[in-house]
Amino acid sequence: MKLNILKNSFFKILMTTSVILICLGGCSYNEGAKQPPTDVQQKSEKEQINIEVTEESVNSIVKVEDYMDFTTSLCDIFKIEYLNETFASPAATYEFGDGFKYNFEMLYKDISVKNIVLGEVLDVVYYDLGEFPRTYYSFAVSDVLKGDDVSQYSIITIAETKGYRRLSRADEIYSKYGYTRYGDYSEEERENKYEIFAFYIDEPQVNIGDRYVICLSGKNSEEKYVEKGYYYYLMYDYMGKYYENENGMYERFIPEAIKIINADMYKDADTGEWTSEGEISIDKMRENLEQ
């Protein structure tokens, strides 16, 4: 009888100690940055976890709230709570570079594309004090297809040189050229209505929850925009960004006007083949990289 009591007491003490240790371990953190998950923290930023990554496995292994936060602190940014009216900038253009003739495999091999990552948009902000407005968004990286600058299971900042600007800021630019567009609006309207700069007419805007496979530059840190940290530029504008469609596949945006007017410009200059690719799965992207 006494032996059984001793055994039970020992078992209770062991269980209590285990619970305390687990609780203490779960409460530890690194001040100023999120502690990486247990299966990641023993790896360097440049190493990847040696598992077969699928959308399901990523979501089940590591939650976004556990990602390492490498977002930057930006200067003079603003958010748009409600878009009640927007205007197309007269400076918006349909011009683009050589990216039109690149498919995914060619983008991967392009030395100017330093990083290619898969992930989701968590937050979006804007900057409109310069000649050209910018869109910045926090991006949760669930997989890295190319590059050593970005870690899997991290949150980074991405910049695009386009976006919204307040009517008052737009007229500051136009006044340099001797005219204004929005002088008939009240002061309040000029601060709460926006002009779209450099977006193609039918191009989807960046929104929270959007999922992309996206081609990026290396790390950038410009004092004009950044208080602390670094960010990455989108490469080749819309041709460097594959968005996840309703079928769970990835495809690039193609402006309708360009398809109609300059359809041949989407053909590879060497082979004459159409390179818009249509839908492509993440698995197919990985297969192309392994060839």
Side-chain angles (χ1 to χ4, degrees):
M1 182 70 176
K2 290 182 179 180
L3 182 60
N4 287 335
I5 292 171
L6 287 173
K7 285 182 177 179
N8 290 337
S9 300
F10 177 76
F11 178 74
K12 288 179 180 178
I13 292 170
L14 181 61
M15 290 299 294
T16 304
T17 305
S18 299
V19 170
I20 291 171
L21 288 174
I22 290 170
C23 291
L24 288 174
C27 294
S28 64
Y29 66 96
N30 181 18
E31 186 176 356
K34 292 182 179 178
Q35 186 75 1
T38 343
D39 57 350
V40 177
Q41 59 185 236
Q42 294 180 353
K43 299 284 183 180
S44 70
E45 282 186 28
K46 293 183 179 180
E47 291 178 318
Q48 301 300 318
I49 296 176
N50 187 23
I51 58 173
E52 181 182 354
V53 179
T54 64
E55 290 302 304
E56 293 76 19
S57 67
V58 166
N59 292 332
S60 63
I61 294 170
V62 184
K63 302 298 183 183
V64 170
E65 54 266 29
D66 294 322
Y67 281 27
M68 295 175 287
D69 190 351
F70 295 120
T71 53
T72 187
S73 177
L74 299 161
C75 305
D76 301 314
I77 55 174
F78 65 95
K79 285 192 173 187
I80 298 178
E81 300 299 333
Y82 175 67
L83 271 176
N84 56 356
E85 188 173 7
T86 57
F87 306 85
S89 167
T93 177
Y94 288 115
E95 295 179 2
F96 48 91
D98 291 336
F100 67 88
K101 62 183 182 182
Y102 281 24
N103 57 25
F104 182 75
E105 184 179 358
M106 296 165 74
L107 285 169
Y108 181 82
K109 293 177 179 178
D110 188 328
I111 59 173
S112 66
V113 176
K114 302 299 184 183
N115 303 279
I116 302 179
V117 298
L118 164 68
E120 180 176 333
V121 176
L122 300 183
D123 195 22
V124 184
V125 295
Y126 306 95
Y127 172 92
D128 68 352
L129 296 185
E131 185 82 15
F132 304 105
R134 289 186 170 202
T135 298
Y136 294 98
Y137 44 102
S138 302
F139 195 71
V141 177
S142 58
D143 198 7
V144 177
L145 304 184
K146 177 183 177 179
D148 295 326
D149 294 327
V150 182
S151 301
Q152 188 182 25
Y153 307 138
S154 67
I155 304 173
I156 61 174
T157 299
I158 297 176
E160 297 189 25
T161 307
K162 60 186 178 185
Y164 295 100
R165 58 185 174 192
R166 289 161 285 191
L167 301 189
S168 61
R169 302 301 182 192
D171 268 349
E172 286 179 11
I173 301 300
Y174 299 140
S175 66
K176 296 178 181 179
Y177 303 96
Y179 74 100
T180 61
R181 294 188 71 197
Y182 306 111
D184 293 337
Y185 288 87
S186 69
E187 184 175 342
E188 181 181 357
E189 287 175 320
R190 284 160 55 83
E191 295 302 319
N192 294 285
K193 294 181 184 294
Y194 304 92
E195 180 181 83
I196 302 173
F197 176 87
F199 280 128
Y200 292 86
I201 292 173
D202 49 344
E203 182 179 2
Q205 310 298 312
V206 176
N207 293 298
I208 294 173
D210 287 350
R211 291 185 58 79
Y212 299 125
V213 170
I214 190 166
C215 299
L216 303 174
S217 67
K219 294 179 180 179
N220 286 274
S221 181
E222 300 175 51
E223 291 183 5
K224 180 179 179 180
Y225 305 106
V226 174
E227 292 179 350
K228 182 180 179 181
Y230 48 83
Y231 60 89
Y232 302 85
Y233 279 117
L234 165 67
M235 298 297 294
Y236 291 117
D237 199 60
Y238 61 87
M239 294 302 289
K241 184 165 63 176
Y242 292 75
Y243 66 92
E244 185 182 56
N245 63 24
E246 58 186 10
N247 301 319
M249 305 284 280
Y250 289 84
E251 60 180 303
R252 288 187 287 194
F253 161 76
I254 300 176
E256 290 297 325
I258 294 180
K259 283 199 295 187
I260 294 169
I261 300 170
N262 299 312
D264 287 342
M265 300 191 77
Y266 277 89
K267 292 182 178 179
D268 186 278
D270 298 321
T271 66
E273 294 180 357
W274 184 264
T275 61
S276 66
E277 297 178 291
E279 294 183 341
I280 181 172
S281 69
I282 187 66
D283 290 335
K284 183 63 177 175
M285 288 180 175
R286 290 195 183 98
E287 284 179 18
N288 289 341
L289 306 184
E290 292 171 359
Q291 292 177 356

